[in-house]
Amino acid sequence: MTLDADWAERWIRRTADAVADKRDELTELDREIGDGDHGENLVRGFRAVVAKLDARRSEADGPGEPPRLVGDVLKLTATTLMSTVGGASGPLYGTAFLRAAKVTGHEAIDTRTIVAMLESALDGITARGKAEPGEKTMVDAWTPAVEAAERAAGEGDEADALRAAAAAADAGSTATIPLVATKGRASYLGERSAGHEDPGARSTALLLAAAVEALPEETA
């Protein structure tokens, strides 16, 4: 299986489609415990990324172009999200993709690099947001995703690692519902934040599910 820059681009494009499809859900989740702008912000940000990917692809049609690297796609995603997405999600996702880009500077990535990519993304989020597991943030989806990918990578391939990460992120997002938020705007609600799913954790689950959907057809 080859997870190259084309896969990375499909991942980002499918993420853009996913957040657009779930815009109302993400908005409602954020309205319950935040500003209510998470869905709209992500849609705007990933649409901007797709526009830049389109522009870059048209410019790269000429002969003699160097091979594209996975990290190039992720870095473009990072810088675009940082410059176009408001609220907390722009800096958090931007930092996640920027850290991920630093370990994926290859024409194709293997299972070990997938785990490193996810670990680096989580490290970026925790460094930027100062959040820990159990505080009702996107970290509660990213942490089990990384742990699941590490376990799957021991016996499986790239697809197994991504599928495990996506399933764990989805479960981790659902598990934020009973938590009381102690970080971010939701923490202002105190006990009233319990009973609501964290929007950042849900968008994380969407993003990692999109990575699986972007796998080559023979493995997806």
Side-chain angles (χ1 to χ4, degrees):
M1 181 195 327
T2 300
L3 297 188
D4 54 13
D6 287 340
W7 164 77
E9 184 171 325
R10 288 196 305 272
W11 175 20
I12 301 307
R13 291 180 183 278
R14 287 179 182 268
T15 299
D17 290 340
V19 295
D21 288 344
K22 298 295 184 180
R23 178 199 334 229
D24 291 345
E25 176 185 339
L26 294 172
T27 296
E28 184 57 31
L29 289 175
D30 197 33
R31 185 176 291 120
E32 291 169 343
I33 59 174
D35 293 333
D37 58 0
H38 190 60
E40 190 61 41
N41 282 343
L42 289 184
V43 169
R44 180 172 63 253
F46 278 97
R47 279 180 176 169
V49 177
V50 168
K52 289 195 175 183
L53 288 172
D54 289 341
R56 176 171 289 189
R57 183 170 284 274
S58 65
E59 292 169 359
D61 285 341
E65 288 294 328
R68 293 196 306 155
L69 307 180
V70 173
D72 292 340
V73 177
L74 302 188
K75 184 177 180 180
L76 176 66
T77 301
T79 55
T80 305
L81 291 178
M82 286 178 170
S83 64
T84 60
V85 179
S89 55
L92 289 172
Y93 274 126
T95 303
F97 277 108
L98 194 60
R99 293 286 187 93
K102 291 181 179 179
V103 298
T104 55
H106 313 286
E107 290 183 43
I109 59 175
D110 57 14
T111 306
R112 182 177 62 181
T113 308
I114 286 174
V115 174
M117 175 186 74
L118 297 174
E119 287 177 335
S120 296
L122 173 58
D123 289 345
I125 290 167
T126 54
R128 187 85 186 202
K130 312 299 182 185
E132 298 179 359
E135 294 186 312
K136 201 183 184 87
T137 71
M138 64 173 62
V139 170
D140 292 305
W142 278 99
T143 299
V146 170
E147 293 170 349
E150 289 174 338
R151 291 192 298 269
E155 299 180 357
D157 61 10
E158 296 89 344
D160 294 320
L162 286 174
R163 289 191 187 103
D170 185 67
S173 181
T174 301
T176 65
I177 294 173
L179 298 179
V180 174
T182 57
K183 187 70 67 174
R185 190 174 183 85
S187 65
Y188 300 161
L189 297 175
E191 295 290 337
R192 287 181 296 153
S193 64
H196 303 283
E197 188 172 11
D198 180 71
R202 176 45 50 195
S203 62
T204 295
L206 293 174
L207 184 146
L208 293 179
V212 174
E213 293 170 3
L215 288 168
E217 290 185 4
E218 62 270 20
T219 59

